[in-house]
Amino acid sequence: MPPENGETAPGFEALLCDGEVFEDTHVDDALGDRGAVLYFQGFVFSAIARHWWKRFDRGGWDEFDGVPVVGVGRDGPFAQNAFLRRIDSPFSVYADVDGYVTDEFDLRIERDGMAHVTTPQRSVFVLDADREVQYRWISPDTVSPPPVDEIEDAVAEL
């Protein structure tokens, strides 16, 4: 079961990509002073990924005070960095190649029509500085939009 509001999110270490380099980084080191927003996504370079990361950028999510927005996806670090450069993104993304982080959050789903292909279920977790889940949204499918206003409200309350 994915972590619920009030529970402590799993601690993990994975390759964090910033568009240029990647480095093994513990989630605690990626948290800002007030916490972080973790956005679990399907495939980079998909229309959905491009749309939402650009929307987060246009919405000023890179300017949340002390609350970085960090993605988690199954693509490798070179693909993650190429994607971030392509969309000129100010955000960072964990390359969860083996699905370890996805499994820690119990979000692995098999993709319809793609035999033996799994990705994280699209979801958002707003964490405080102690990794306590203050808000969570888990998509009922692979295309439903995250509730931007609710996420922004949760960040404002940190």
Side-chain angles (χ1 to χ4, degrees), residues 5-26:
N5 290 349
E7 294 180 351
T8 301
F12 63 87
E13 189 168 317
L15 295 175
L16 186 60
C17 307
D18 68 4
E20 295 300 324
V21 298
F22 50 87
E23 184 175 359
D24 228 10
T25 304
H26 194 279

Side-chain angles (χ1 to χ4, degrees), residues 48-88:
I48 292 171
R50 283 192 310 268
H51 172 77
W52 285 104
W53 282 112
K54 287 301 230 175
R55 183 164 178 187
F56 299 159
D57 188 18
R58 284 190 310 271
W61 284 26
D62 61 319
E63 297 174 12
F64 287 155
D65 185 30
V67 184
V69 176
V70 182
V72 179
R74 292 286 309 279
D75 296 281
F78 295 106
Q80 298 286 6
N81 276 338
F83 175 72
L84 292 171
R85 285 191 305 273
R86 177 84 172 264
I87 64 169
D88 193 24

Side-chain angles (χ1 to χ4, degrees), residues 35-143:
V37 175
L38 289 183
Y39 174 62
F40 287 81
Q41 66 182 9
F43 303 106
V44 296
F45 292 106
S46 69
I48 292 171
R50 283 192 310 268
H51 172 77
W52 285 104
W53 282 112
K54 287 301 230 175
R55 183 164 178 187
F56 299 159
D57 188 18
R58 284 190 310 271
W61 284 26
D62 61 319
E63 297 174 12
F64 287 155
D65 185 30
V67 184
V69 176
V70 182
V72 179
R74 292 286 309 279
D75 296 281
F78 295 106
Q80 298 286 6
N81 276 338
F83 175 72
L84 292 171
R85 285 191 305 273
R86 177 84 172 264
I87 64 169
D88 193 24
S89 177
F91 303 105
S92 297
V93 177
Y94 277 104
D96 184 28
V97 177
D98 63 2
Y100 166 75
V101 178
T102 299
D103 290 343
E104 286 293 302
F105 279 76
D106 197 24
L107 292 168
R108 188 184 295 249
I109 60 169
E110 190 159 323
R111 299 302 292 255
D112 291 337
M114 303 172 117
H116 311 292
V117 174
T118 63
T119 63
Q121 188 169 4
R122 284 188 57 235
S123 51
V124 175
F125 294 86
V126 176
L127 309 178
D128 69 13
D130 296 320
R131 266 191 287 120
E132 184 177 309
V133 177
Q134 300 300 308
Y135 174 86
R136 82 173 197 166
W137 170 80
I138 299 173
S139 178
D141 51 46
T142 58
V143 296

